[in-house]
Structure formats: structure tokens, C-alpha cells
Amino acid sequence: MRGIANTTGAGSEAIARANLLPAPFTIRSGQRLTIPGGRYHTVHEGETGIAIARAYGVDWSRIVTANGLNEPYILRTGQRILIPGDAMPRSAAERAAAFRLDIDDILTGGEPAIKPNEKPAVAVTSPRRVLPSTAAVTAPTTTPGTFAWPVDGRLYKRFGAGASGERNDGIKIAVPMDTPIGAAADGTVAYVGNGVPGLGGVVIVRHGGGLTTVYGHASQLLVQRGQAVKKGQKIALSGDSGFADRPMVHFEMRSGRTPVDPLTRLPRR
């Protein structure tokens, strides 16, 4: 299979999907194969899916679907991935401007590519030890159990469609400026930054069981990517960054890639 992939320029996984071949992708002499056409990208060490999508000006979610990528969404060096669509070539600046980062992109395309036989790095417990930006991080495997409120404040906006029709994938909790934000459960920090439009300072924490929590509108970010955190541990300070019109915390919970109402998992108050 690898020889056919090298000859045609298509990825082994893409050929297997096009021909409904189960792992380990065994083929027979004389067998006719469908070779999927299109543009392919060869993954290099340290590249993230987000960076690849931005380079081509294509939504990362389309690349995930086109290539049948699944958890834990870690790319391997040398892997060929199909770039869907037939968009006209654009400059690097135009492609970057066309790309808008969202939570799903981070969850599915935020880990750097590693060598085929390399294992992801274990989360660090000390904030003084920083993992290199090229290290993929092992996702937690322990079920988090019960979740805690990240802050004690007034529920300002609920999950779902608002009065004006906009959709809120989490809840918003009004609190004073610089209120400590605690991790809702044990987990590993998957993202720290301000690259998600509208949410300002953001921390994303992965938990076991495919669960993820998101904390937005922070004024200060106190943890780093790849850091293991405990339930209640201070990870940020609240603020009015992003599109917030007052100091608050945007708190979001996802099961896999699907947003769920945090109020169904948080203790009643």
C-alpha cells in the first residue's frame, strides 16, 4: 500500500477509505483500486492541523471529515492528508485571513505532529517545566467524576440560542474583575491563548472520558499547555476580554466535539 501511495501521491489512509479496506490495509495482486484525486499535504514534524488548514485557507473541520480523522487527532510525520476543495490559489496573507480559529479546531487540530513511532508526552505537574511547542500531549484517561463551578457568580447567559438568535455554546457567569477561575475537574491544559475570536483570554482543559471544559474572557492566564491541573486549581483570572461587555467567565463543556449544557453536569446552587 505504501508503494502505491508513494507512486500516486495519495495517502495510504485515503486510498484505504476510497476502497473500503480495513486495517492493516492488505491488498492482493491484480486487485483494482480507486485512487482518490485532489491536493495532498505531507505532514512535517511539529506541524499542527490548525497550521496546515491556515496555510491552505481551508476549514480544519473539512480536512478532519475528508480524511476520516478521529481521536486523539495526532498527526504523524510523513502522513499525507487530503486538502478538500478546489479553491483558487491565494497569497499566504489571504489564506491566513480566511482562517478563523474556533474551539473545535483546537480540540481536533491543536496537537503537533510527531514521528510515526513516537509517543505523546506526559503532562507536566510543575508550571516551571515547559513542554516544547513540538510535543504532542497525552490526553487524560481517568474519568473526572463530578464537576465544580469554575467561579461563584451570577448566571448571566444560559446555554443555547439567545433572545436575538445567537447561539451560546456555554454559559456566562458574571463576577468581579480578576476573580480566580478554578479548573472544574482534574485534567490537562490543551490550550492557553487569545486566538479564539470573541472569547479573549482562553484556557481549555481536557478531562478523561472525552470531556473538555473551556474558560473564556480571562484577564490573566496562569497555566501553560501540557500542564496537569487539579479540580479547583486556579488557572486564570476573570476579565472582560474579547466581546465581553462586563467582567465574566465564559464556561463551556464538550463531550467529544459536541457542546453540552454545563448546567446538566454542575451541582445545583
Side-chain angles (χ1 to χ4, degrees), residues 198-228:
L199 288 185
V202 174
V203 177
I204 300 178
V205 179
R206 290 185 188 274
H207 311 280
L211 297 171
T212 305
T213 50
V214 181
Y215 313 77
H217 302 311
S219 63
Q220 293 186 50
L221 306 170
L222 306 177
V223 289
Q224 62 174 326
R225 174 184 170 273
Q227 181 179 341

Side-chain angles (χ1 to χ4, degrees), residues 3-181:
I4 296 174
N6 291 336
T7 300
T8 62
S12 299
E13 295 88 349
I15 296 174
R17 280 194 306 279
N19 293 275
L20 303 178
L21 299 176
F25 309 147
T26 302
I27 57 176
R28 303 182 305 276
S29 176
Q31 182 177 355
R32 296 178 65 87
L33 297 174
T34 298
I35 306 300
R39 178 186 298 179
Y40 285 82
H41 175 87
T42 300
V43 178
H44 295 89
E45 188 173 0
E47 278 187 330
T48 65
I50 293 171
I52 295 170
R54 181 181 285 114
Y56 288 95
V58 177
D59 289 341
W60 172 243
S61 60
R62 294 183 61 199
I63 298 178
V64 169
T65 300
N67 291 274
L69 302 180
N70 297 302
E71 283 280 358
Y73 302 108
I74 294 177
L75 301 176
R76 301 285 175 170
T77 57
Q79 181 179 353
R80 290 191 181 96
I81 56 175
L82 174 65
I83 307 299
D86 53 358
M88 295 294 291
R90 294 177 287 181
S91 69
E94 289 174 326
R95 292 195 300 270
F99 187 80
R100 291 292 182 270
L101 186 67
D102 61 23
I103 301 298
D104 188 61
D105 291 329
I106 294 171
L107 295 179
T108 60
E111 293 296 326
I114 56 178
K115 296 175 183 178
N117 297 323
E118 184 179 356
K119 293 183 178 181
V122 177
V124 298
T125 56
S126 170
R128 292 185 296 275
R129 183 186 166 205
V130 179
L131 288 177
S133 60
T134 56
V137 184
T138 300
T141 57
T142 304
T143 302
T146 59
F147 285 83
W149 286 78
V151 291
D152 184 12
R154 178 175 63 86
L155 184 61
Y156 175 56
K157 284 189 178 180
R158 291 180 175 271
F159 177 87
S164 59
E166 81 283 1
R167 178 173 177 80
N168 184 20
D169 284 337
I171 59 176
K172 296 189 183 292
I173 309 166
V175 291
M177 181 71 79
D178 293 335
T179 297
I181 301 172

